[in-house]
Structures are given as structure tokens and as C-alpha cells.
Amino acid sequence: RSAPNHSAPAQSLPAPIRPAGAQALDSAPHSAPALSAQARPSPRAHGPTACAFAFPTPGPGPQPPPLPAFPETPGAEPACCPLAFRLDPFTDYGSSLTVTLPAELQAHQPFQVILRYTSTDAPAIWWLDPELTYGNAKPFVFTQGHSVCNRSFFPCFDTPAVKCTYSAVVKAPSGVQVLMSATQSTYVEEEGVYRFHMEHPVPAYLVALVAGDLKPADIGPRSRVWAEPCLLPTATNKLSGAVEEWLSAAERLYGPYMWGRYDIVFLPPSFPIVAMENPCLTFIISSILESDEFLVIDVIHEVAHSWFGNAVTNATWEEMWLSEGLATYAQRRITTETYGAAFTCLETAFRLDALHRQMRLLGEDSPVSKLQVKLEPGVNPSHLMNLFTYEKGYCFVYYLSQLCGDPQRFDEFLRAYVEKYKFTSVVAQDLLDSFLSFFPELKEQSVDCRAGLEFERWLNATGPPLAEPDLSQGSSLTRPVEALFQLWTAEPLDQAAALASAIDISKWRTFQTALFLDRLLDGSPLPQEVVMSLSKCYSSLLDSMNAEIRIRWLQIVVRNYYYPDLHRVRRFLESQMSRMYTIPLYEDLCTGALKSFALEVFYQTQGRLHPNLRRTIQQILSQGLGPSAEPSTDPSAEPVSAGADRDSDSPALLLGDEAPSSAISLRDVNVSA
């Protein structure tokens, strides 16, 4: 369907304020400004007035909003009167808060609503004991708001259609560094108080906080990395000078970087995704540090979000491709500028290979393969995060760039698009109308209606992309991968294995090796003699490579029940605390005859896992063991006998802390925000 243009101007409320009556923090199920049950007004915690009203102190000229203050500060708040409010059921991931404003409030009159609330066990807020950090020294906390978790962090209009500036005051113990996704920050050491202000309007999901044993190191004129002390040298060495190169390339393509600083904070392995594009402060999981090429791509992708996603945002979660597809296109333009077309084509081939794998699992008529996904009331938008959002969206943007015949001209269009819509939210029609206005000759040719490639079909047809990019410039890197894979599937095996062993993959790029192993995974189960030869040829070599490579080889071991290398699976799981390197293996282990092995390893390692990850693995183990068997968290418990396999026909796509209910697992839907 064609979505209406309801992009919101920069403001903190989505509609004009009525003089009196009830104001609800929710307007529609798909863009629910809501207050989670875990973050509700708390009169017991803060006295009798949980929701109050006040007129701001008048002054000459426009008045900025006052910074929040702690209740014990004398005179921190103006005189205010209590307001009636109610919390109504909304969904299982939030409640709607409705506030009744006083009758004397006049239209267009500035006012403040003060909410006192407590966030405790909130989905957006991840509390880590010291043992769950790398340094094991201090507790750690971070927030993750995408897509609709920040309603449990603070009361908000939790929809990307609404943007506003924000200020925050954070009080922390001595020795704990606090950071937020803000353009301005100060610290008063004697009070232990940090003050933050974001001067540009952002949607609620981009408000982020992290606090812990973090130290900084400059890596460029406007960038620094923050990490635990034991990780700081590695993070600095890998990114020093590179981030400024990427930022400069992006500026040449899409105009000035508008957020001031671009800092990166490396988070403990409990961080639930790979990376998050919080403005001014990208969050990224520390586990990715050992995989250089994945680190480069993930950071460049988050850099690209500074223009596409943060500055210009999708107004509805039903069109996430407007952020992710454009950011992926911009990421690949940046990598082409800095690392050449061959590397970009290799990475693109690797991702499109994963897209087609997901398509085979889901089926070509899956509704989640549409770019304009219909989000039913009450469905958590996070469930729509999948590779179509990224790669099918990228293919559409790439197709638009090919229509104009010149990537540089398309860069000019995107620069004008960002300038026009920065700090607002848009729908697909805004992008497409702007494109046809920028290229009137294409509008005259009715390129939006070309048979089989209609813009409407791109947006609303299920299935794979209608057109894919020409990746021939990467053939020097992809051709050896195809050749090696063909050797391992050829007959006779002895002769093929001899030829294959002569190819030194230790000199390959990470994406080449990963693509090769993915092809072997797709072909699994393989004949046992092939797996034996593969292990003899590669097992020790792959052991010395990064985790992105090792996990793929270990999945081959598990899916082919190759017991001689099972000890490597155990050793890997004993050393990993991140969901990106544990969930895929546990899912594979629980689909066959290795469930008792999975239970044994889990009992030995669960103490080092974040409670959220522990629950997810327990659910995977329960599903793998059958509906009547629940895995105990008691290490002394007897292993439960294996039950029925998971239902492989279910099309569910799950992220977050839910357990997968089908063979479509995180190994197939592994994306960064």
C-alpha cells in the first residue's frame, strides 16, 4: 500500500495541544508512544504527586527546557499542581499513559508536565554484574532502545515519527564513567553528576546511556573510542585514523557530518546485537574486535546511519528499509571509495548469499519479505528486523542509482534529500517523489511504472529483489571461493581433496572464507568422508582464525555430527559470552542427536552468561527436548532425554530475548542495527 505522508516536524509532541482534556501518549498501534509497565509513575517512590503540571518561568525570548533536577535539590521545580492520569493496557511490550491537562491551559501556551517514575527490570536497561564484563572490576549498565524498548526507560512518544531534543542528568558513583548519545556533556566531579544535552531532534529509540569502567582514547580529530581498560589498546590500534577517513569519505558523498563528535563505545559481550547507531556515540559489541573486516563494515554502516536513519528517519516501523536500505547503500559507497570496488562486491555477495538463504527458509511468499511490511496491531516492530530490510532495501536503492546512470549524480540526489529532510521523519513516497523531482527526465520516461520493475512492486511484492547489482568487479575475490567449493563437491574425492588442499585459504580475506564455509553449511549434511577430509585440511588452520570463521566451521561440525571435532565446539562455547556466537551453535546442537552435549556445556557455562541470554538458551534447550521437558539450571541435574525436533515449518522471525521457534534462527537472520 502507499503510505500517507505524515512526516513530523521537529517537535516534542505529535499534535497541537488542546486547551484542556485528556492527552494520551499513544496514537496508533504501529507507532505506540507508550509507557512500559516496568517504567510507570511511582507515587510511592517519590511522594504523593506522580504526575504534575507547571507553567515555565517566563523570560525574554525563546526559553530552552530546564534540565531535570534531583528531588532533594531545593527549589529545583516550579510550583506545580497534580494531574489526573491513567495507565491503560496497550500491548505486551508497553502501556499507554493518558494525562488530563488543566482547563485553564490556553492553546499555544508553553507548559511542562512533570512525571516521576521508576524503571527497574526494564527491557531497555541491561544491568551487568562485574563478572559479565571483561575487566571483572565494576558493574556495568547500558540501554538498547531499538525499536520500542525505550518506553521502559522513560515515558515517551515511542514512534520514529516524533523527534525532539532532550536533556538528562545522571548521578553515578565515583569511578563510573557515564556516556549518552548527546551533543553536549559536562561532569561535576564533587557531586558525581553528569549533564547531557542533545541539541538536534531525535526519535526516542536513539536516546542511549552507558555507564561502567570505561576509558577513552582519541583516534581522530573528532572521534575517540571508549572501552574497558583491558580492551582499549586493541580498539585504539584497530580504528586509529580509520574513522576519520570514513567520515571524510561520507562527507564528500552526502554532505557535512552534523552531529559534532563521532565516538564509539565497545560494550561487553552481553550487548544483544552487533552495533547500534546512537548519534554521537555508536554502541558496538567488543566481540567483533577480533574480526577485522566485520568490524570495518559494521562501523562504516553505523557511520552511514548518521545521514540515513539518524538525520532522516523512517516515520513508521513498517518502512525500516528507508533507514537500513539507504544506510547499506551509503556504507557500500563509502567502502568503494576507501577500499575499492572488489572488496565492496565481495561483501555484497556475502550478504546477498545470506538473503537468498533466508528466502529459501521463509518461502518467496513470506509477508516479511516486503519492503512495506504490514505491522498488525500489537506486533512488536523488532520482529520485522531481517535481511530484507537491509539487502532488498539496498537492491532497490541501487536500482534507483542505476536509473540515473551515474553513481555520482545519485550521490548528489541523496545529498539534496538529506538536506531537505534532515531532523525529520519520512515515508517512502517522500524519497520517491524527491527522486523523480531531482531527475525530471526519468519522471518523463515513467521509470516508476516500468513493467516488472514498478516502484509499487518493489515496495509491496514478496520474494527476492526484483533486480540485483552487477558484482563482476569482485570476481577476482569471489571466483576462487566458487572454485574451491566446487572442488569439495566433485568426484573422485581423493583427487578433489588433493587439488583443494593446494589452495592456501590463510591468505584469503575473512569474507571469502566465510562465504566458502557458508556454502558448505548450505550443503550440509555432507558425506562423512568429505567432512573428514575437510577437517584434516582445515580444522587446525581455522582454529587460529577469528570467531566469525570459527563459528561457521563449528556449525559444519555440528550439522554433520563430526564427533572428532566436537571438543572444539565445547572449547568455543566455554570462551564465548555473546549471543551472536552462542545461539547459532545451541540451535544446531538442539536439532539433532547432540542435545545432551548442549545441556552439559550449558550447565558448565551458564554462570558466565547474562540472565537474558541464559533464558534464551534455556528456551532453545526446552524446545529441542520436547514440550514436557524443561532444562534445569542446576548443574547437578540429570540430562533430560531428547524429545521431538523443533517445528521447521514455522515462519517466525525473532530477535531480542525470545527463543526461536523454528529453523529460521539467528544464524540466518544475523544483522546489525
Side-chain angles (χ1 to χ4, degrees):
R1 67 183 175 82
S2 179
N5 184 348
H6 60 276
S7 57
Q11 55 185 23
S12 58
L13 295 173
I17 300 302
R18 293 178 289 190
Q23 294 293 315
L25 285 181
D26 64 319
S27 56
H30 72 273
S31 59
L35 186 67
S36 155
Q38 291 91 355
R40 62 177 65 227
S42 177
R44 292 186 299 277
H46 295 287
T49 305
C51 189
F53 170 87
F55 289 105
T57 306
Q63 298 297 302
L67 285 172
F70 294 103
E72 63 266 22
T73 306
E77 297 171 353
C80 51
C81 61
L83 292 176
F85 68 92
R86 72 175 190 271
L87 281 171
D88 296 320
F90 177 68
T91 64
D92 62 354
Y93 54 89
S95 306
S96 65
L97 170 65
T98 302
V99 178
T100 301
L101 299 177
E104 62 268 26
L105 179 63
Q106 301 299 309
H108 309 296
Q109 184 174 7
F111 67 96
Q112 298 170 4
V113 173
I114 300 166
L115 298 173
R116 295 184 178 88
Y117 67 95
T118 300
S119 288
T120 53
D121 186 20
I125 306 173
W126 293 61
W127 301 96
L128 276 60
D129 292 328
E131 309 83 67
L132 294 177
T133 67
Y134 282 102
N136 299 311
K138 296 176 183 176
F140 202 98
V141 63
F142 63 83
T143 65
Q144 172 57 19
H146 195 284
S147 310
V148 289
C149 286
N150 265 354
R151 60 187 62 181
S152 69
F153 180 22
F154 56 92
C156 58
F157 296 99
D158 202 358
T159 164
V162 175
K163 293 187 171 185
C164 64
T165 59
Y166 79 86
S167 299
V169 174
V170 183
K171 193 169 187 177
S174 176
V176 172
Q177 176 69 51
V178 181
L179 305 169
M180 289 193 76
S181 55
T183 51
Q184 302 169 21
S185 64
T186 59
Y187 175 54
V188 182
E189 186 172 2
E190 56 270 23
E191 299 175 10
V193 170
Y194 293 83
R195 294 178 183 269
F196 301 95
H197 179 63
M198 168 52 77
E199 63 189 277
H200 303 304
V202 295
Y205 76 88
L206 290 178
V207 177
L209 176 146
V210 59
D213 186 16
L214 294 167
K215 302 298 180 187
D218 288 337
I219 55 171
R222 47 183 163 174
S223 301
R224 64 173 58 104
V225 291
W226 294 86
E228 292 184 62
C230 59
L231 292 176
L232 191 60
T234 301
T236 305
N237 291 338
K238 299 226 173 190
L239 291 174
S240 184
V243 172
E244 181 60 30
E245 183 181 8
W246 302 332
L247 285 169
S248 298
E251 287 183 313
R252 289 192 299 271
L253 294 168
Y254 306 120
Y257 178 75
M258 57 200 83
W259 302 95
R261 295 197 60 80
Y262 184 89
D263 293 345
I264 300 170
V265 58
F266 284 92
L267 301 184
S270 299
F271 188 52
I273 59 175
V274 178
M276 181 64 204
E277 69 271 16
N278 302 308
C280 308
L281 186 67
T282 285
F283 284 17
I284 192 162
I285 193 168
S286 298
S287 312
I288 206 71
L289 275 169
E290 66 173 279
S291 305
D292 289 359
E293 289 179 21
F294 281 81
L295 173 67
V296 166
I297 293 299
D298 288 327
V299 176
I300 293 178
H301 184 83
E302 308 311 322
V303 165
H305 268 307
S306 302
W307 286 263
F308 306 102
N310 295 2
V312 185
T313 309
N314 47 285
T316 166
W317 291 120
E318 295 179 335
E319 295 185 326
M320 274 192 272
W321 75 272
L322 283 170
S323 289
E324 296 301 348
L326 280 162
T328 302
Y329 179 86
Q331 161 213 310
R332 288 173 181 155
R333 288 289 292 125
I334 296 168
T335 58
T336 299
E337 292 291 307
T338 51
Y339 298 105
F343 174 73
T344 300
C345 288
L346 170 65
E347 185 267 334
T348 305
F350 170 78
R351 302 294 186 189
L352 289 177
D353 194 60
L355 176 71
H356 289 288
R357 184 176 308 114
Q358 190 174 107
M359 176 61 65
R360 291 192 296 272
L361 288 163
L362 289 170
E364 293 201 1
D365 58 350
S366 171
V368 301
S369 64
K370 295 181 179 181
L371 290 184
Q372 281 188 335
V373 184
K374 177 61 178 174
L375 186 56
E376 298 296 334
V379 173
N380 190 326
S382 294
H383 294 177
L384 298 181
M385 291 292 289
N386 58 65
L387 284 174
F388 297 98
T389 304
Y390 294 75
E391 297 304 332
K392 190 173 181 178
Y394 159 76
C395 286
F396 185 28
V397 178
Y398 181 88
Y399 171 70
L400 294 177
S401 75
Q402 294 301 292
L403 286 176
C404 71
D406 181 357
Q408 283 72 33
R409 283 196 72 203
F410 192 69
D411 294 335
E412 292 171 9
F413 157 67
L414 289 178
R415 190 156 51 242
Y417 166 79
V418 170
E419 182 60 31
K420 179 178 180 180
Y421 288 111
K422 65 183 179 184
F423 307 130
T424 68
S425 301
V426 300
V427 294
Q429 205 59 50
D430 295 322
L431 172 68
L432 299 177
D433 287 348
S434 297
F435 174 76
L436 293 174
S437 296
F438 195 88
F439 299 105
E441 69 279 10
L442 297 180
K443 185 174 184 179
E444 290 177 9
Q445 298 168 22
S446 299
V447 295
D448 56 326
C449 300
R450 284 185 179 175
L453 293 165
E454 299 90 346
F455 289 0
E456 185 69 19
R457 187 175 178 188
W458 270 103
L459 296 177
N460 290 302
T462 60
L466 303 182
E468 293 188 8
D470 175 11
L471 302 179
S472 58
Q473 288 181 285
S475 60
S476 62
L477 297 174
T478 56
R479 198 182 300 118
V481 175
E482 296 293 341
L484 184 61
F485 174 71
Q486 293 301 324
L487 279 175
W488 280 109
T489 54
E491 297 284 352
L493 176 61
D494 290 347
Q495 181 180 342
L499 292 170
S501 61
I503 299 174
D504 184 5
I505 67 169
S506 67
K507 295 182 170 56
W508 278 12
R509 288 183 174 272
T510 292
F511 280 117
Q512 288 177 288
T513 309
L515 183 60
F516 167 62
L517 294 175
D518 279 348
R519 295 289 167 84
L520 292 173
L521 272 170
D522 289 342
S524 294
L526 299 162
Q528 275 297 299
E529 59 271 20
V530 171
V531 181
M532 190 181 306
S533 295
L534 284 167
S535 176
K536 182 180 178 181
C537 191
Y538 299 127
S539 192
S540 297
L541 173 64
L542 297 176
D543 245 2
S544 64
M545 295 188 180
N546 62 62
E548 290 290 340
I549 299 299
R550 296 203 310 278
I551 190 173
R552 285 170 167 82
W553 168 246
L554 296 177
Q555 285 184 270
I556 293 171
V557 168
V558 171
R559 292 192 197 180
N560 289 277
Y561 305 110
Y562 188 65
Y563 290 90
D565 274 357
L566 208 55
H567 68 283
R568 301 181 194 275
V569 177
R570 178 191 299 274
R571 190 169 68 230
F572 185 83
L573 288 173
E574 287 173 348
S575 67
Q576 295 293 335
M577 296 185 291
S578 123
R579 66 185 304 120
M580 62 193 281
Y581 296 135
T582 53
I583 295 293
L585 279 170
Y586 275 108
E587 287 176 335
D588 281 345
L589 287 166
C590 287
T591 58
L594 295 171
K595 298 158 191 155
S596 58
F597 173 82
L599 276 169
E600 181 186 338
V601 175
F602 175 68
Y603 290 146
Q604 293 171 352
T605 60
Q606 61 175 323
R608 299 195 294 274
L609 304 177
H610 188 277
N612 289 350
L613 178 56
R614 200 181 310 149
R615 282 194 296 271
T616 302
I617 296 174
Q618 286 170 345
Q619 290 170 323
I620 293 170
L621 292 168
S622 297
Q623 291 177 344
L625 296 168
S628 62
E630 288 290 330
S632 166
T633 56
D634 181 3
S636 65
E638 289 294 321
V640 188
S641 60
D645 286 344
R646 290 172 295 164
D647 174 15
S648 61
D649 296 323
S650 169
L653 280 172
L654 297 174
L655 291 175
D657 301 324
E658 299 124 287
S661 60
S662 75
I664 302 165
S665 60
L666 286 181
R667 66 173 179 267
D668 308 305
V669 195
N670 195 9
V671 296
S672 55

